[in-house]
Amino acid sequence: MDLVTLIPQFGGLLWTLLAFIVALSVIVAIHEYGHYIVGRWSGIDADVFSLGFGPVIYSRDDKRGTRWQIALFPLGGYVKFRGDANPSGGKDEAAMSALPENERRRTMNGAPLWARAATVAAGPIFNFILSILVFTGVFMARGVVSEPITVGDLRPLPSVQELEPGDEIVEIAGVSPPSFEAAADFESFLDGLPTEPVLDYTVRRGEDEIVVEGPYVYPPIATSVVPRSAADDAGFRKGDVILTIDGADVFAFDQLREKVEGSEGAPLDLEIWRDGEVIETTLTPRRTDEPQPDNSFRTVYRIGIVGGLFFEPATETPGPWDAVSSGVAQTGMIIEGSISGLWHMITGAISTCNLSGPIGIAETSGSMASQGTTNFIWFIAVLSTAVGLLNLFPVPVLDGGHLCFYAYEAVSGRPPSDRALKVLMSIGLTLVLSLMVFGITNDLFCP
């Protein structure tokens, strides 16, 4: 292999690393700032606020005596509060004993229980707040589909389209479409349409109501590509249209789904239309465990493209309350899905390959960044929710573990002994490192 062939791969690696570092840095900064600011509000002083670990490449001290620094290895961060033995916490006995009684209140270990609990809980809570704000902003930017359904932008397709932006859809194949927001009804409506490459559309264009021809409503077009999927690895792009599968013509997304699900993982030969050019490629569908409405999982084969209508529906900006409600609901769905997925992996209902490690997260970061700024920001919000949830697990060394210690203190009236804390923290660190190794193993060896 010569140097020229390595350049695109090296560039892709740099892009992936950069996207991963940006995503992780934003999430860590918000998480640690939550600890810092709530600690400050609660009367606890911070000695160090660090983004990254290892040698310090930049630092400055503020008027409160906190050192703000950026370290060489951007794989996390920490806040070291006054009186802590190290960035992970613990009591610095020498430093604490040298402090006057009135100064000990401004340390993490000398603060009241409520202040310590609020400071620790703030990290994950700020992650959730970040997610809600991002989802809210995206929902407001994208808008909600106008009623009646109106053609916005037409997606490029190889077939002739007689519809125009601004057309209001009155009927498709003689049937009036339901509200787009009623997802179940709209899906049933699509299922009831004749599966034909060309359909009649009754549209309101200006003052006139006319009938024009258009493609099947839900063509085999990639409106987005799932990161680390078979399609992603094969170089699929947003807007690619699948023309044939194993030599058979397809014009509906359901035809594509049937071919993929019926392949049982066998390679498929595809013809793709991209910007007027026909490209041939072969890819192998992958086994996927998909969540169902009842929180169970179904094993299917997928290639990793998301479909959509042959046009972008016109949208209108939702109200602030509706956008915030949608942002909260989206965050809740991610939390619910994550817990359900973890439980089904533990019980063996789905493959443990669904758990990704840092390599997989980095690859996903690069893939989402390559699909556009909005997709990348959305991914940061999803990852922020996952990080917040992970930190609430009752594992020593994580925030959830510290909250369990505080709960014990609240009930018993005294904190766990230093010896018990050291043992539990060692166990917790072992569990976290084991999980990381397991995730990396999945990244390297899972299909």
Side-chain angles (χ1 to χ4, degrees):
M1 181 179 294
D2 57 29
L3 181 60
V4 174
T5 60
L6 284 174
I7 291 176
Q9 298 178 35
F10 185 64
L13 177 60
L14 286 179
W15 178 255
T16 295
L17 290 176
L18 178 61
F20 178 58
I21 290 171
V22 169
L24 188 63
S25 296
V26 170
I27 292 168
V28 169
I30 293 297
H31 180 96
E32 297 303 333
Y33 187 75
H35 289 315
Y36 164 78
I37 194 62
V38 173
R40 199 179 90 182
W41 293 339
S42 303
I44 303 172
D45 292 336
D47 290 336
V48 181
F49 185 108
S50 180
L51 281 182
F53 298 98
V56 177
I57 57 179
Y58 170 80
S59 69
R60 70 171 182 85
D61 294 340
D62 66 15
K63 62 182 180 181
R64 297 177 178 274
T66 302
R67 176 174 299 163
W68 299 76
Q69 67 184 37
I70 299 175
L72 182 60
F73 303 111
L75 299 176
Y78 62 87
V79 177
K80 183 178 180 294
F81 289 102
R82 193 174 185 188
D84 285 350
N86 52 60
S88 299
K91 185 186 296 185
D92 186 339
E93 295 289 356
M96 290 289 291
S97 61
L99 291 174
E101 188 65 33
N102 63 324
E103 290 292 321
R104 294 183 183 180
R105 166 61 182 82
R106 306 200 67 82
T107 69
M108 175 63 91
N109 292 284
L113 180 60
W114 69 264
R116 285 177 278 146
T119 300
V120 169
I125 290 173
F126 268 54
N127 280 132
F128 297 144
I129 292 174
L130 170 64
S131 300
I132 292 170
L133 291 177
V134 169
F135 291 139
T136 298
V138 172
F139 286 135
M140 293 198 71
R142 288 180 175 174
V144 295
V145 175
S146 302
E147 297 290 351
I149 299 173
T150 303
V151 177
D153 294 327
L154 292 165
R155 305 186 196 274
L157 292 173
S159 56
V160 177
Q161 303 186 46
E162 296 182 356
L163 283 86
E164 297 179 358
D167 286 346
E168 293 182 5
I169 307 295
V170 178
E171 291 182 345
I172 304 176
V175 182
S176 299
S179 169
F180 193 84
E181 294 300 315
D185 292 341
F186 195 81
E187 186 174 345
S188 298
F189 164 73
L190 292 177
D191 290 340
L193 292 176
T195 308
E196 299 175 359
V198 178
L199 297 175
D200 288 334
Y201 291 79
T202 303
V203 301
R204 186 172 293 109
R205 183 176 296 171
E207 299 297 326
D208 300 323
E209 191 170 290
I210 61 176
V211 177
V212 296
E213 290 186 341
Y216 186 75
V217 183
Y218 217 83
I221 185 173
T223 60
S224 65
V225 180
V226 178
R228 304 180 67 215
S229 64
D232 191 26
D233 292 346
F236 264 69
R237 301 178 190 172
K238 179 180 178 180
D240 285 351
V241 181
I242 297 175
L243 301 177
T244 69
I245 303 177
D246 289 339
D249 293 338
V250 293
F251 55 85
F253 198 87
D254 280 345
Q255 293 173 322
L256 167 63
R257 182 185 290 113
E258 290 173 3
K259 291 281 188 181
V260 170
E261 291 183 351
S263 71
E264 295 294 326
L268 298 173
D269 295 324
L270 307 179
E271 282 188 351
I272 302 168
W273 183 88
R274 177 186 298 165
D275 299 327
E277 180 183 358
V278 177
I279 302 169
E280 295 183 355
T281 187
T282 300
L283 55 74
T284 302
R286 294 177 182 170
R287 181 182 183 273
T288 303
D289 297 310
E290 292 187 346
Q292 303 299 302
D294 61 355
N295 287 330
S296 64
F297 281 78
R298 184 169 70 100
T299 299
V300 292
Y301 285 89
R302 294 283 185 257
I303 60 173
I305 67 171
V306 179
L309 303 176
F310 70 89
F311 61 89
E312 291 273 9
T315 60
E316 55 190 19
T317 303
W321 175 251
D322 290 337
V324 172
S325 299
S326 297
V328 172
Q330 183 66 40
T331 303
M333 285 172 55
I334 295 171
I335 293 173
E336 182 182 2
S338 298
I339 294 174
S340 175
L342 182 61
W343 171 251
H344 282 83
M345 279 189 279
I346 292 173
T347 58
I350 62 174
S351 170
T352 55
C353 283
N354 287 281
L355 180 68
S356 295
I359 297 175
I361 295 173
E363 290 177 348
T364 303
S365 300
S367 180
M368 294 301 286
S370 67
Q371 295 185 39
T373 303
T374 302
N375 286 341
F376 182 55
I377 293 175
W378 183 275
F379 170 72
I380 289 178
V382 172
L383 190 58
S384 181
T385 303
V387 169
L389 177 62
L390 176 64
N391 271 279
L392 285 178
F393 286 175
V395 177
V397 311
L398 297 180
D399 295 332
H402 288 286
L403 291 175
C404 286
F405 297 152
Y406 296 152
Y408 172 84
E409 182 177 347
V411 172
S412 66
R414 57 186 175 83
S417 67
D418 290 342
R419 181 178 179 182
L421 284 175
K422 288 180 180 178
V423 173
L424 291 172
M425 294 292 275
S426 297
I427 294 173
L429 183 60
T430 301
L431 289 173
V432 171
L433 292 176
S434 298
L435 181 64
M436 183 177 296
V437 171
F438 184 74
I440 293 174
T441 302
N442 281 354
D443 294 338
L444 295 174
F445 300 110
C446 281

